[in-house]
């Protein structure tokens, strides 16, 4: 006990001074770079707004038709397709169509960004133990740090709006696809790689012709988890100006509207189940296809 009493630590005044200097440095950085960062993210904002407006302007029968076609293309199951279309029709019937389209827009763009960034990073990790050792702690921090903590610098830099919400969703949702891409490539059988070497395959041919195709079931499991985690962030993202199903849930919490909160919460659950079933079924089909190829 005496040891801990005598443990050297900063005084309150020194801690306050340290915090003030960090806050001051970050404020200076924000004033210097905020406009540059806003202009950098401006094309992303324009695309997100365009995609959301497109979904909102498209007549609902067309949306249902396209969603049904996408569900069937992914799952190849009439049951999942019919259930998905029915779920979206029910959401529209209960007056949650516009919020659902806004949520669908941000989840789709966030998932696309996570795939575009996460798969190359996962491949990089799989090809280098040093990169894996460097990136893994970053992924640990991204997965464990409370989302409200990293919302502070994001909002300070970019203000309230769609882009900060999108960045917050991506920070929270990207680790699974990075980890599972890395894992999938590392799990490829060494004998298969030796056979590819024996046929004179270059490292690039070995990666894209052997490792990535064999890792696809794992990669799609990562996509599935990324979508689930992105949907989990919908309510928190609504706190910083992202329109969608999270806004009514937030209003319901503030005003104790039980029915409003439950209905919009169930709409988020319905989206999650649809995305989960379609992506999981596609991943299983892909795995079966690969096994069939291998057996042949």
């Amino acid at each position: 006990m005496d040891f801990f009493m005598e443990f050297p630590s900063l005084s309150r005044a020194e801690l306050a001074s340290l915090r003030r200097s960090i806050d001051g440095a970050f404020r200076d950085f924000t004033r210097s770079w905020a406009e540059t960062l806003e202009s950098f993210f401006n094309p992303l904002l324009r695309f997100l707004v365009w995609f959301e407006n497109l979904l909102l302007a498209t007549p609902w029968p067309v949306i249902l038709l396209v969603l049904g076609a996408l569900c069937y293309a992914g799952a190849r199951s009439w049951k999942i397709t019919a259930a998905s279309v029915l779920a979206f029709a029910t959401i529209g019937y209960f007056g949650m169509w516009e919020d659902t389209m806004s949520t669908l827009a941000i989840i789709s763009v966030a998932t696309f960004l996570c795939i575009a960034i996460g798969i190359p990073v996962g491949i990089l990790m799989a090809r280098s133990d040093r990169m894996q050792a460097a990136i893994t702690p970053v992924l640990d921090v991204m997965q464990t740090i409370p989302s409200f903590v990293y919302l502070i610098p994001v909002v300070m830099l970019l203000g309230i709006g769609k882009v900060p919400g999108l960045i917050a969703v991506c920070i929270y949702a990207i680790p699974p696809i990075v980890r599972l891409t890395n894992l999938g490539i590392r799990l490829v059988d060494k004998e298969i790689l030796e056979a590819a070497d024996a046929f004179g395959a270059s490292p690039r041919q070995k990666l894209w012709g052997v490792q990535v195709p064999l890792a696809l079931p794992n990669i799609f499991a990562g996509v599935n988890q990324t979508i689930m985690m992105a949907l989990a962030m919908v309510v928190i993202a609504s706190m910083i100006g992202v329109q969608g199903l999270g806004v009514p849930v937030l209003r319901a919490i503030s005003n104790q509207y039980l029915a409003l909160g439950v209905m919009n919460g169930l709409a988020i659950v319905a989206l999650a189940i649809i995305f989960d079933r379609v992506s999981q079924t596609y991943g299983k089909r892909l795995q079966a296809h690969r096994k069939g190829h291998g057996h042949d």
Side-chain angles (χ1 to χ4, degrees):
M1 191 72 181
D2 291 339
F3 170 75
F4 288 107
M5 298 267 300
E6 292 167 11
F7 193 82
S9 61
L10 290 171
S11 66
R12 285 186 180 181
E14 286 170 326
L15 272 173
S17 174
L18 179 64
R19 283 198 293 264
R20 276 197 300 272
S21 61
I22 292 168
D23 290 345
F26 190 75
R27 268 196 297 271
D28 291 340
F29 176 79
T30 304
R31 284 167 190 156
S32 304
W33 291 94
E35 282 186 26
T36 310
L37 285 167
E38 276 183 26
S39 59
F40 175 77
F41 285 113
N42 200 37
L44 184 62
L45 175 63
R46 280 208 298 268
F47 175 75
L48 184 55
V49 169
W50 170 81
F51 187 53
E52 187 178 336
N53 289 338
L54 177 70
L55 287 177
L56 290 169
T58 306
W60 65 266
V62 176
I63 296 280
L64 290 181
L65 196 66
V66 171
L67 284 167
L70 288 172
C71 286
Y72 185 74
R76 293 291 165 89
S77 162
W78 287 111
K79 284 182 183 177
I80 292 174
T81 304
S84 302
V85 170
L86 184 64
F88 271 95
T90 307
I91 283 167
Y93 180 75
F94 282 106
M96 297 178 287
W97 185 262
E98 287 188 7
D99 286 336
T100 303
M101 291 301 105
S102 297
T103 297
L104 197 60
I106 195 159
I107 296 305
S108 302
V109 174
T111 304
F112 176 76
L113 276 176
C114 288
I115 291 168
I117 297 166
I119 291 176
V121 173
I123 290 169
L124 203 62
M125 285 175 72
R127 300 193 77 173
S128 165
D129 289 338
R130 191 176 291 177
M131 285 302 296
Q132 179 173 266
I135 294 170
T136 301
V138 177
L139 296 176
D140 292 340
V141 169
M142 287 166 79
Q143 282 191 295
T144 53
I145 192 168
S147 47
F148 290 105
V149 175
Y150 59 73
L151 281 180
I152 298 164
V154 169
V155 171
M156 282 178 74
L157 277 170
L158 297 165
I160 301 287
K162 293 180 190 295
V163 171
L166 186 65
I167 292 168
V169 170
C170 287
I171 289 170
Y172 186 71
I174 204 170
I177 194 163
V178 177
R179 288 184 191 278
L180 283 162
T181 300
N182 172 38
L183 180 69
I185 291 171
R186 284 178 180 271
L187 286 176
V188 172
D189 200 331
K190 295 282 189 292
E191 289 178 7
I192 295 171
L193 297 178
E194 284 167 10
D197 285 331
F199 281 108
S202 68
R204 184 186 290 270
Q205 288 171 329
K206 201 160 65 173
L207 175 67
W208 296 108
V210 179
Q211 289 172 296
V212 171
L214 289 173
L216 277 176
N218 283 84
I219 292 169
F220 268 93
V223 172
N224 174 274
Q225 290 304 303
T226 290
I227 295 168
M228 295 300 102
M229 292 180 82
L231 278 163
M233 276 292 286
V234 164
V235 177
I236 292 167
S238 69
M239 293 179 178
I240 55 170
V242 176
Q243 295 301 308
L245 291 165
V247 176
V249 173
L250 204 61
R251 196 162 68 243
I253 293 166
S254 306
N255 299 290
Q256 297 181 351
Y257 298 148
L258 177 64
L260 180 71
V262 169
M263 281 168 64
N264 283 273
L266 287 174
I268 295 169
V269 171
L271 279 181
I273 291 170
I274 291 165
F275 279 124
D276 179 60
R277 292 293 179 273
V278 172
S279 58
Q280 265 195 2
T281 313
Y282 185 71
K284 283 175 185 172
R285 273 182 45 234
L286 208 60
Q287 201 164 11
H289 175 71
R290 292 287 162 199
K291 279 180 181 173
H293 253 3
H295 187 67
D296 293 340

